[in-house]
Amino acid sequence: MLDYKSPDDMTYAEILAEATAKLRALAPEWTDYNTHDPGVTFLEMLCWLTENQRYYLSRITEKHELKYLKLLGTAPISARPARLLAVCEPMGAKLPKGSKADVNGVPFTLEEDVNLGGKITVSREYGGAASDVYGFKPFGEKPRAGAEFYIALDEPLIGGEEYRLYAVTARDKTGGTPLRDGYYPTYEIEMAALCGGEWLPCEIRDGSYGFSQSGAIALISPLPCVALKCALIRCEADAPPVVEALCLSAVELVQKEYAAVPIRYEFRENPLCLDTPPLIAVKEDFRLFTEEEGGLTEWSQTDDLSCSGPFDRHYELDETEGTVRFGDNVRGKKPEKGVVIASMSLTAGSEGNVKENLDFTISGGGAEIKARNPFPLPPENAGANRETVSEAFERFVRESKKPYAAFTAADCLALIRRVPGLRIESANAYFPEEGKTRICVNPAHKSEKGLPPAYVRNIRKFLFERRAPCVELEITPPSYRTGDLFAEIRFEEWADGKEKEISLMLRRLADEAGKRFGVTVSLSKWKSEIEAAPYAREANGLTLKQRNGEIIGVFKDKTLSPDEILKVEKIFINGASYEERTSNDLYGM
């Protein structure tokens, strides 16, 4: 995108000085530049006109900038209300839609009917010892299909009613894009309810995707039940999901305050002021009607009245200023009588982001229920104000720099990081032959099974529409160059017991090299780092003996192929191992 430079960047005096300086070169015979000279008078007039033209050319208002954004195919993002996960006092109650809560002076609203379950306990076996929910690994250290756990209820669930089992999982340090509908999870679960001594299948909608991420599992028991069973029916990874909290008495509150409607205004001025600031009107909740012959007629919200015709019942809502602008019977129709607002909610935007661990009460349906928000707001649930025009331009620039198609290896690597549900440590892309792109993925959680099939399907699904035409995609796991590292070290006479420190240093170097594909293994550099330690006099020998029989020494670097990763299993210092963990621990095998 071209950088915008305002034309109005010089004063009248600067323009006159620049013009006078040019005259000395253009008209050397002109020597009198005093104000009495008629030529100088003309020059001053032309500079004054130039300064005026520069001023008018730079008068770009926010309305112009909004038009430019529209030409670019974007617009400022509307205000977003915060979403708060509140854990209620377990009591087996029902909260109706519209229930309200005052959280530290900030209003929140419940947007759907919710059934609250009672207190729960989890265990590996039905009727067995209860497990601590925090840090609970529902399917064990090595999850496999068929693994299960049980949830005992102190309040029975009503048959045919929907309940929400909220799971908060440990955030994966590798980050990644959350999984969403249409993509394949690495875990799949099913649930059953104990009804009259018999386990009956539950109807579920799993928003946690097998506890691989935080979310709600909506479940319906066919009959009243006193316990639940959760079974893993598909598993494509060895890394166990870790649950930090699990409850049946949580609700999601939205930082909105609904206005008492209907609200009638006499249409006397355009735009119509709603008197909502400092609160922000939520666009998707706003509905407007006008009084016309035959009753009320609903109008449609638009972002730009300049595209509307004289008979189009359109209006523009400025949610921050709290105004509604109508047309002028040329660009959009003008109301003839009163205006009726049938639905309107207000939010505080970023001011609605309350801190965690606050106690409050949810009121609704004649009940007062105590609740607390024990978790901080994740970024995707935090409230935000309406985006300014400058912020919208900055976002457009950032997004325009992101690759939208996999034409180069760098494009492929950037796109892989955006694949939903993917947790990877490193990746590489290259072109082994014309018409083929090979993508090697090193998953964050290593598995003896190789790359999870769900990863392969998700990468292929995400990249298929973004690949270059007539290009075949090949997705493979890394090929490991496995071996043991041997080091012969001469220590200073005063240094005693420093072998473990050298071993930790080499493990760090090996781990860093093992995170990248096609790395050049330079043991001479590792030797230099060892000898830089004050307690190491000399590194006489440093060799990497690979499983294929090849030996890498300090005198010759080895560059791995684009699909290979170095994997150092054991490290020996002067013939002895000082590691408390092996590469099998490091690689999750």
Side-chain angles (χ1 to χ4, degrees):
M1 192 171 83
L2 295 175
D3 291 332
Y4 171 72
K5 184 179 179 181
S6 173
D8 190 21
D9 59 351
M10 295 177 68
T11 64
Y12 165 78
E14 290 171 339
I15 296 172
L16 180 60
E18 183 179 313
T20 304
K22 288 182 177 179
L23 280 178
R24 292 185 173 91
L26 296 173
E29 65 277 7
W30 188 352
T31 57
D32 188 359
Y33 301 111
N34 295 310
T35 54
H36 66 265
D37 190 275
V40 172
T41 304
F42 275 106
L43 185 65
E44 289 174 341
M45 181 188 68
L46 292 171
C47 290
W48 175 77
L49 288 171
T50 301
E51 198 265 344
N52 273 273
Q53 289 173 337
R54 283 171 171 261
Y55 172 80
Y56 285 115
L57 283 172
S58 66
R59 296 304 92 191
I60 296 177
T61 65
E62 184 173 301
K63 196 169 183 179
H64 292 97
E65 292 174 335
L66 288 171
K67 291 283 189 181
Y68 299 151
L69 281 173
K70 188 174 180 180
L71 287 172
L72 294 172
T74 187
I77 298 174
S78 298
R80 182 180 68 238
R83 293 184 173 271
L84 175 76
L85 184 63
V87 178
C88 304
E89 187 178 59
M91 57 185 304
K94 183 170 185 174
L95 279 174
K97 177 182 178 181
S99 298
K100 301 180 183 299
D102 187 296
V103 185
N104 200 29
V106 180
F108 281 79
T109 303
L110 185 64
E111 291 200 308
E112 58 184 347
D113 296 334
V114 174
N115 292 302
L116 298 176
K119 187 178 179 181
I120 66 172
T121 54
V122 297
S123 59
R124 298 287 179 200
E125 299 178 359
Y126 180 62
S131 300
D132 185 5
V133 172
Y134 186 82
F136 179 61
K137 297 178 180 177
F139 307 114
E141 292 287 347
K142 295 285 186 180
R144 294 291 183 268
E148 56 191 25
F149 72 97
Y150 296 83
I151 302 173
L153 313 171
D154 71 340
E155 293 278 349
L157 303 186
I158 301 171
E161 293 281 342
E162 183 178 282
Y163 289 82
R164 301 283 178 89
L165 179 66
Y166 277 90
V168 178
T169 60
R171 278 194 174 273
D172 198 318
K173 294 179 181 179
T174 59
T177 305
L179 200 63
R180 60 175 184 260
D181 289 343
Y183 287 84
Y184 305 93
T186 52
Y187 306 102
E188 187 178 350
I189 63 169
E190 64 180 9
M191 298 190 71
L194 185 59
C195 310
E198 183 181 0
W199 290 103
L200 300 178
C202 292
E203 179 184 336
I204 70 168
R205 192 171 63 255
D206 184 9
S208 74
Y209 299 100
F211 301 103
S212 62
Q213 63 189 39
S214 297
I217 303 172
L219 62 97
I220 300 175
S221 173
L223 297 171
C225 69
V226 295
L228 297 170
K229 178 174 66 174
C230 182
L232 186 63
I233 59 174
R234 185 170 60 82
C235 174
E236 296 184 0
D238 281 345
V242 181
V243 174
E244 292 187 343
L246 197 65
C247 69
L248 272 168
S249 57
V251 296
E252 189 176 68
L253 300 172
V254 184
Q255 199 283 297
K256 289 181 184 178
E257 187 175 12
Y258 284 87
V261 290
I263 307 172
R264 189 182 184 282
Y265 294 88
E266 291 291 340
F267 182 70
R268 293 175 180 171
E269 59 181 13
N270 196 8
L272 179 70
C273 295
L274 304 177
D275 297 324
T276 58
L279 297 178
I280 306 167
V282 180
K283 276 195 167 187
E284 56 264 28
D285 292 337
F286 195 87
R287 294 184 66 193
L288 181 144
F289 293 76
T290 57
E291 296 174 339
E292 299 183 13
E293 293 182 7
L296 296 176
T297 302
E298 185 169 7
W299 287 46
S300 301
Q301 194 176 135
T302 183
D303 292 329
D304 188 2
L305 281 170
S306 64
C307 299
S308 303
F311 302 105
D312 291 331
R313 292 180 171 86
H314 294 166
Y315 65 91
E316 292 179 4
L317 172 65
D318 188 325
E319 68 261 46
T320 304
E321 297 295 329
T323 60
V324 177
R325 181 176 296 278
F326 298 94
D328 54 4
N329 287 337
V330 177
R331 292 181 176 86
K333 188 175 174 64
K334 184 178 180 180
E336 298 176 359
K337 296 183 180 180
V339 176
V340 177
I341 307 242
S343 174
M344 181 170 65
S345 69
L346 304 173
T347 181
S350 61
E351 297 297 320
N353 295 330
V354 296
K355 62 182 182 180
E356 68 269 22
N357 291 321
L358 296 173
D359 294 316
F360 52 92
T361 301
I362 303 176
S363 306
E368 300 280 332
I369 297 177
K370 294 180 180 179
R372 167 176 280 216
N373 61 325
F375 309 106
L377 291 174
E380 61 271 17
N381 288 347
N385 296 332
R386 180 181 183 269
E387 199 175 45
T388 65
V389 172
S390 60
E391 289 170 343
F393 273 111
E394 289 171 4
R395 173 177 51 83
F396 174 80
V397 171
R398 289 195 306 269
E399 292 178 351
S400 65
K401 292 178 180 178
K402 295 179 180 178
Y404 61 90
F407 290 116
T408 66
D411 293 341
C412 292
L413 295 179
L415 289 168
I416 286 170
R417 295 287 181 183
R418 289 154 52 187
V419 176
L422 215 59
R423 300 289 185 269
I424 63 172
E425 190 171 272
S426 58
N428 196 22
Y430 62 102
F431 311 101
E433 57 186 77
E434 187 176 351
K436 178 181 285 189
T437 301
R438 180 172 294 163
I439 298 169
C440 300
V441 177
N442 183 24
H445 304 297
K446 309 300 184 294
S447 170
E448 293 175 345
K449 305 172 185 176
L451 198 60
Y455 279 20
V456 176
R457 291 196 294 267
N458 289 340
I459 294 171
R460 191 175 297 280
K461 176 181 174 67
F462 189 80
L463 293 184
F464 184 78
E465 294 180 354
R466 297 168 173 82
R467 63 188 173 92
C470 305
V471 171
E472 178 187 350
L473 292 176
E474 183 181 353
I475 302 160
T476 65
S479 175
Y480 289 107
R481 278 292 190 105
T482 307
D484 297 332
L485 185 63
F486 296 84
E488 297 293 331
I489 312 294
R490 287 181 59 198
F491 292 94
E492 297 290 346
E493 293 181 359
W494 53 267
D496 188 23
K498 296 295 184 180
E499 290 84 358
K500 188 171 182 179
E501 291 189 29
I502 293 292
S503 180
L504 290 172
M505 180 192 298
L506 290 173
R507 174 53 66 190
R508 174 180 58 81
L509 294 169
D511 288 353
E512 289 176 358
K515 291 178 180 179
R516 303 188 303 274
F517 285 87
V519 70
T520 297
V521 182
S522 179
L523 296 187
S524 58
K525 292 182 180 179
W526 296 14
K527 179 178 183 291
S528 299
E529 285 212 30
I530 294 172
E531 292 178 341
Y535 45 79
R537 178 180 296 179
E538 184 181 7
N540 292 324
L542 195 62
T543 56
L544 179 64
K545 296 181 180 179
Q546 301 178 64
R547 293 290 182 268
N548 61 5
E550 186 179 352
I551 296 177
I552 301 176
V554 294
F555 300 109
K556 186 177 181 181
D557 295 346
K558 173 66 177 180
T559 300
L560 305 185
S561 63
D563 63 341
E564 289 183 325
I565 281 182
L566 180 66
K567 179 181 173 185
V568 177
E569 287 196 335
K570 294 180 180 180
I571 296 176
F572 296 91
I573 308 297
N574 296 337
S577 176
Y578 294 87
E579 289 193 296
E580 297 176 357
R581 58 178 184 169
T582 66
S583 67
N584 287 339
D585 299 321
L586 297 171
Y587 289 83
M589 295 182 181

